[in-house]
Amino acid sequence: MESKTLNKGSLATFLRAIAVLVLACALTGVGSHAAGAARGHQHRHKHKRHHRPHRQAIRGSLHNGHVKIVKAPPVHGKGGGVDPGDDYPPRWKKPPQDAVVDQWGMYNRECTSFVAWALHSRNGFEMPFHQNANRWGPIAAKRGFTVNSNPAVGSVAWSNAGVFGHVAYVVAVNNGNVTVEEYNYFGRGAYDKRVVSARSFTGYIHFKDLPSAETPSAPPPTTTPTPPATPPSTTTYAETTGGVTHTWTNYTNAGGTEGPSIPSNATVLVSCALTGFRVADGNTWWYRIASSPWNDAFYASADAFYNNGQTSGSLIGTPFVDSAVRHC
């Protein structure tokens, strides 16, 4: 009887020991899994990155910056009276965004750098300060430049919204809307062009506005002058635009009736060339557009075309007129 009793007691003790051991292992596994999960969460949290807006201009003196300064290329004529499109120089366009600084103290591929370039190459104006876009309006006003709500071709559309604001270059004004060219509006450091309400911006800075062929300040004459008589001819000449090009019935003042615009990098047939309204960079040559739907009834500034057989790239440095085109 003692032997049976002893065996039962030993068996009970053994089973209790096994149960304690199993419970301890289970608790250790749960703790290890929880600790591992916590470490994993900490690891993921440690490597999570948040995008932060970058300054658009350097702080302080232009010569005290830690980023390489890359100067603008020479400018030869074109720009101003036409819409040249994305003519931002490759020396700033190709490096990664914010990798270099232009000669005006703006980081490359930022809105401020593109507008500073447009003012330099199209308006013949040099930016007198370097600052983020949201400070352009107040600083310009303090320096005596006109800042108001009235857009003009060649003015700077300015917004103080967001962390650093935004600026764009006005290429056209029409019926309460503005057409602007800009960089980095979508945060990719790239070019785009938009047509928006003029009220979309905080205001407009008038550093050195351009004479506007799109919106002539003087009313058109009561009678449209008759162009020189042109003998019947079937000869036409293929010319390619370097940007969106406006057409008009009156080549003497870029007015009269506005015709359909010619798309950028489109090749059309022209009948002849003649002199008329002087655009911003001094060119006075115009083409009579033979292709449909213009049908020799509308004219476009020859300044808007490559005039040398070229069909893409920048208009800067290209001829004002194709010498092969006969005179009207």
Side-chain angles (χ1 to χ4, degrees):
M1 292 295 294
E2 284 183 6
S3 175
K4 291 181 180 180
T5 303
L6 180 61
N7 288 342
K8 289 181 179 179
S10 299
L11 178 60
T13 301
F14 176 75
L15 292 176
R16 284 195 297 272
I18 292 297
V20 171
L21 181 61
V22 170
L23 178 61
C25 290
L27 291 175
T28 302
V30 169
S32 299
H33 177 75
R39 286 194 297 271
H41 174 74
Q42 291 172 359
H43 179 76
R44 290 192 297 272
H45 181 74
K46 180 178 179 181
H47 290 86
K48 184 177 181 180
R49 296 185 177 182
H50 301 276
H51 175 74
R52 298 181 61 187
H54 192 281
R55 284 185 60 86
Q56 300 160 346
I58 65 171
R59 288 189 177 94
S61 171
L62 180 62
H63 302 289
N64 293 336
H66 60 282
V67 181
K68 181 181 179 182
I69 299 174
V70 179
K71 292 188 176 181
V75 177
H76 301 291
K78 283 302 183 84
V82 295
D83 173 4
D86 185 6
D87 59 348
Y88 194 55
R91 62 184 63 187
W92 298 323
K93 186 189 303 184
K94 289 184 178 180
Q97 186 178 10
D98 305 318
V100 299
V101 169
D102 63 31
Q103 67 193 52
W104 304 284
M106 319 294 182
Y107 285 102
N108 68 308
R109 295 168 58 182
E110 294 286 352
C111 62
T112 49
S113 178
F114 175 76
V115 171
W117 160 253
L119 291 170
H120 165 78
S121 62
R122 307 177 195 180
N123 300 41
F125 178 81
E126 303 301 321
M127 274 299 297
F129 57 83
H130 54 271
Q131 255 298 350
N132 296 321
N134 57 0
R135 298 290 302 143
W136 278 37
I139 294 176
K142 285 183 179 179
R143 289 175 176 252
F145 297 100
T146 300
V147 180
N148 57 27
S149 59
N150 303 318
V153 172
S155 65
V156 175
W158 160 68
S159 171
N160 60 8
V163 178
F164 295 124
H166 184 67
V167 287
Y169 184 84
V170 178
V171 296
V173 182
N174 187 23
N175 296 328
N177 293 329
V178 291
T179 303
V180 296
E181 292 183 337
E182 60 199 349
Y183 253 67
N184 202 41
Y185 177 71
F186 296 104
R188 304 188 304 269
Y191 167 88
D192 71 89
K193 182 166 67 174
R194 298 181 291 144
V195 178
V196 297
S197 168
R199 292 177 294 179
S200 300
F201 291 92
T202 305
Y204 297 88
I205 307 171
H206 304 274
F207 288 117
K208 186 181 178 182
D209 296 349
L210 296 174
S212 172
E214 291 81 1
T215 52
S217 56
T222 54
T223 58
T224 300
T226 303
T230 304
S233 174
T234 58
T235 303
T236 54
Y237 309 84
E239 302 292 345
T240 303
T241 60
V244 177
T245 304
H246 300 277
T247 63
W248 307 92
T249 56
N250 191 335
Y251 60 91
T252 65
N253 69 349
T257 301
E258 184 175 5
S261 295
I262 305 174
S264 177
N265 301 106
T267 300
V268 296
L269 298 178
V270 304
S271 298
C272 55
L274 71 173
T275 56
F277 178 77
R278 182 185 299 273
V279 296
D281 59 5
N283 186 23
T284 59
W285 284 104
W286 287 70
Y287 287 142
R288 178 187 291 165
I289 311 301
S291 296
S292 178
W294 301 276
N295 301 321
D296 281 317
F298 293 89
Y299 301 82
S301 172
D303 198 62
F305 297 79
Y306 288 107
N307 300 322
N308 60 0
Q310 188 176 332
T311 58
S312 62
S314 174
L315 282 168
I316 295 175
T318 58
F320 283 136
V321 67
D322 187 347
S323 59
V325 177
R326 66 185 180 87
H327 296 178
C328 296

